């Protein structure tokens, strides 16, 4: 990627990470043309439950393009309209919890969507670098002796979401080997920050705390499995890793993106609670428990650091505080007359 006249296409533009990534791209490539693919018609309808993006972008910095990633014909038009040098393929059904409810749809979007993209790239004869966003969940039920997980660890996906991401990953490799598509496979572990949906654990806890701080709801915090351990990275460092992979990732290769530290959900909750003065009762909500729980995920990121020079820049505590402050702001704005 050069700093001049680059065209960058980010899929999943209505999602959590894409606006953060677009802001990082705009800072790094001020003269780039930025496109955000959204499956909603533009302008999209207001969604009261969707949190605001949590990131400031200059108006008009990103041109939104509408299209479903499962629509191959539309993909070919989008490629002609945007002529991307780089595609960050973020679009997905991203909730593990939700994936149990409609496994077929998850596979169609998460793996089928990539196939449609790859076929369109091949048929159009274009050659963008494609950063294919998978997941640390692909490793699933990794064994204790396999920690920290390297990219060569056997995938043991434990839910429909993870299976769909393994399938996408395999297709990304296959299209690289068979047709020379310039794919780099990113495997981000858990990430969080402003703008994330409260379907995910840190956003859920932060939103509940911010709402309880107003005094309008009883101080009862609903939780799922607190013993699970996850490797959390602030979204700002995830976006820097995606950029690093676009610039310096080796074609065909897979890369873990994570902090390298596993933390229990309980310890994350206690850190968040140390940032508020209210006293809460913690209550397990059976609806938040999953049919299969992955006990521990902790990544080895040696390959990412070695090939790209990427390093994390934000501490977990700092990012948790920023996330809680973000939800305080959202709750206040929504409460305002
Ligand atoms: N969502 C949620 N809500 N999770 C809870 C809760 C709760 O109230 N209480 C405990 N948990 C536990 C979950 O059981 C899980 O072990 C952990 O917190 C994290 O859950 P999520 O935040 O929903 O994320 P995830 O780990 O299932 O998946 C996320 O990380 C993947 C990478 O590792 C998602 O962001 C995926 O899209 C991503 O690929």
């Amino acid at each position: 990627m050069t700093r001049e006249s680059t065209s960058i296409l980010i899929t999943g533009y209505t999602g959590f990470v894409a606006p953060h990534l677009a802001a990082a791209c705009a800072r790094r490539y001020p003269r780039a043309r930025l496109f955000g693919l959204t499956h909603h018609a533009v302008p999209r309808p207001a969604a009261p439950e969707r949190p605001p993006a949590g990131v400031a972008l200059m108006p008009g910095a990103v041109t939104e393009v509408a299209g479903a990633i499962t629509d191959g014909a539309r993909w070919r038009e989008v490629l002609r309209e945007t002529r991307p040098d780089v595609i960050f393929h973020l679009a997905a059904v991203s909730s593990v919890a939700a994936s149990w409810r409609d496994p077929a749809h998850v596979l169609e979007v998460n793996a089928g969507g990539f196939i449609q993209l790859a076929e369109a790239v091949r048929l159009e004869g274009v050659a963008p670098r494609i950063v294919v966003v998978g997941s640390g969940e692909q490793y699933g039920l990794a064994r204790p002796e396999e920690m920290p997980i390297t990219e060569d660890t056997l995938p043991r996906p434990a839910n429909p979401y993870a299976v769909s991401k393994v399938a996408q990953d395999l297709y990304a490799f296959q299209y690289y080997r068979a047709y020379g598509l310039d794919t780099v496979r990113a495997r981000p572990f858990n990430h969080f920050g402003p703008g994330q949906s409260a379907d995910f654990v840190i956003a859920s806890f932060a939103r509940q705390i911010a709402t309880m701080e107003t005094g309008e709801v009883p101080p009862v915090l609903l939780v799922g499995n607190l013993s699970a351990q996850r490797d959390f990275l602030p979204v700002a460092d995830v976006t820097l890793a995606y950029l690093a992979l676009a610039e310096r990732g080796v074609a065909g290769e897979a890369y873990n993106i994570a902090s390298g530290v596993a933390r229990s959900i309980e310890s994350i909750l206690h850190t968040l609670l140390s940032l508020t003065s209210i006293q809460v009762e913690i209550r397990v909500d059976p609806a938040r428990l999953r049919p299969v729980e992955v006990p521990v995920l902790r990544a080895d990121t040696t390959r990412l650091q070695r090939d790209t020079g990427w390093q994390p820049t934000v501490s977990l505590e700092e990012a948790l505080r920023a996330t809680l402050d973000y939800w305080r702001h959202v709750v206040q704005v929504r409460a305002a007359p």
Side-chain angles (χ1 to χ4, degrees), residues 14 21 27 40 47 49 73 84 97 112 124 141 162 195 206 215 226 258 300 304 319 335 337:
T14 50
L21 178 60
R27 280 193 295 275
H40 298 287
E49 274 313 303
E124 286 295 311
L141 301 172
L226 294 182
D300 181 313
L304 175 67

Side-chain angles (χ1 to χ4, degrees), residues 14-15 47-54 194-198 203 207 326-327 330 334:
T14 50
E49 274 313 303
R50 188 172 55 231
Q196 188 175 32
S197 151
R207 180 167 85 158
Y326 162 81
W327 278 105
V330 170
R334 290 204 173 142

Side-chain angles (χ1 to χ4, degrees), residues 94-96 134-137 161 188-190 196 199-201 204-205 222-226 228 230 265 288 290 293-294 297:
S94 60
S95 166
V96 171
S135 170
E137 271 286 329
Y161 168 82
F189 286 59
N190 293 60
Q196 188 175 32
D199 288 342
F200 299 94
V201 67
S204 169
F205 292 172
L222 298 179
V223 302
N225 184 331
L226 294 182
R230 291 290 183 275
I265 303 302
R288 291 171 184 243
R290 299 177 181 178
E293 180 67 82
V294 170
L297 288 176

Side-chain angles (χ1 to χ4, degrees), residues 216-241:
E216 285 162 22
V217 292
V220 178
L221 198 139
L222 298 179
V223 302
N225 184 331
L226 294 182
S227 67
Q229 295 180 34
R230 291 290 183 275
D231 186 335
F232 285 97
L233 195 64
V235 64
D237 284 331
V238 176
T239 60
L240 289 178

Side-chain angles (χ1 to χ4, degrees), residues 72-109:
R74 179 66 189 129
W75 256 122
R76 294 185 69 174
E77 291 169 0
V78 168
L79 293 177
R80 282 183 226 134
E81 286 165 22
T82 61
R83 311 303 305 174
D85 301 292
V86 180
I87 300 174
F88 292 101
H89 185 48
L90 273 58
V93 177
S94 60
S95 166
V96 171
S99 78
W100 292 100
R101 293 194 281 275
D102 196 349
H105 175 67
V106 173
L107 187 65
E108 184 192 352
V109 173

Side-chain angles (χ1 to χ4, degrees), residues 30-334:
R31 298 176 60 183
R33 289 179 300 133
L34 296 177
F35 297 96
L37 186 71
T38 154
H39 65 282
H40 298 287
V42 180
R44 53 182 178 274
E49 274 313 303
R50 188 172 55 231
V55 67
L57 268 164
M58 292 286 285
V62 177
T63 304
E64 291 194 26
V65 181
I69 59 165
T70 48
D71 180 345
R74 179 66 189 129
W75 256 122
R76 294 185 69 174
E77 291 169 0
V78 168
L79 293 177
R80 282 183 226 134
E81 286 165 22
T82 61
R83 311 303 305 174
D85 301 292
V86 180
I87 300 174
F88 292 101
H89 185 48
L90 273 58
V93 177
S94 60
S95 166
V96 171
S99 78
W100 292 100
R101 293 194 281 275
D102 196 349
H105 175 67
V106 173
L107 187 65
E108 184 192 352
V109 173
N110 292 5
F114 173 76
I115 296 172
Q116 297 298 347
L117 159 59
E119 281 294 297
V121 166
R122 186 173 76 82
L123 295 169
E124 286 295 311
V126 290
R129 161 138 291 197
I130 311 172
V131 178
V132 182
V133 175
S135 170
E137 271 286 329
Q138 292 173 212
Y139 302 107
L141 301 172
R143 298 187 176 136
E145 66 272 20
E146 292 174 319
M147 303 290 158
I149 296 164
T150 72
E151 291 81 355
D152 298 326
T153 301
L154 190 69
R156 295 190 184 85
N159 53 66
Y161 168 82
V163 172
S164 74
K165 288 290 188 175
V166 171
Q168 175 189 247
D169 189 292
L170 293 171
Y171 278 115
F173 181 68
Q174 192 230 298
Y175 273 90
Y176 161 73
R177 285 303 297 261
Y179 303 113
L181 258 63
D182 185 10
T183 59
V184 176
R185 293 167 285 151
R187 296 179 184 161
F189 286 59
N190 293 60
H191 39 291
F192 69 98
Q196 188 175 32
S197 151
D199 288 342
F200 299 94
V201 67
I202 291 179
S204 169
F205 292 172
R207 180 167 85 158
Q208 291 184 71
I209 292 169
T211 309
M212 289 185 291
E213 283 176 340
T214 66
E216 285 162 22
V217 292
V220 178
L221 198 139
L222 298 179
V223 302
N225 184 331
L226 294 182
S227 67
Q229 295 180 34
R230 291 290 183 275
D231 186 335
F232 285 97
L233 195 64
V235 64
D237 284 331
V238 176
T239 60
L240 289 178
Y242 292 166
L243 270 171
L245 289 180
E247 292 165 350
R248 296 181 293 282
V250 174
E253 203 48 283
Y255 292 92
N256 289 340
I257 300 173
S259 71
V261 180
R263 293 183 167 84
S264 71
I265 303 302
E266 184 166 25
S267 76
I268 297 279
L269 174 58
H270 284 298
T271 306
L272 281 169
L273 290 175
S274 74
L275 302 174
T276 181
S277 56
I278 56 166
Q279 297 294 313
V280 305
E281 177 197 334
I282 296 167
R283 190 179 295 168
V284 174
D285 171 6
R288 291 171 184 243
L289 302 173
R290 299 177 181 178
V292 180
E293 180 67 82
V294 170
V296 185
L297 288 176
R298 178 163 69 91
D300 181 313
T301 58
T302 306
R303 185 182 289 170
L304 175 67
Q305 298 191 21
R306 184 198 63 206
D307 285 4
T308 73
W310 173 88
Q311 290 288 336
T313 62
V314 187
S315 79
L316 181 97
E317 290 68 22
E318 205 181 318
L320 285 175
R321 186 183 294 276
T323 304
L324 184 54
D325 285 344
Y326 162 81
W327 278 105
R328 286 173 173 143
H329 179 72
V330 170
V331 166
Q332 268 170 19
V333 168
R334 290 204 173 142

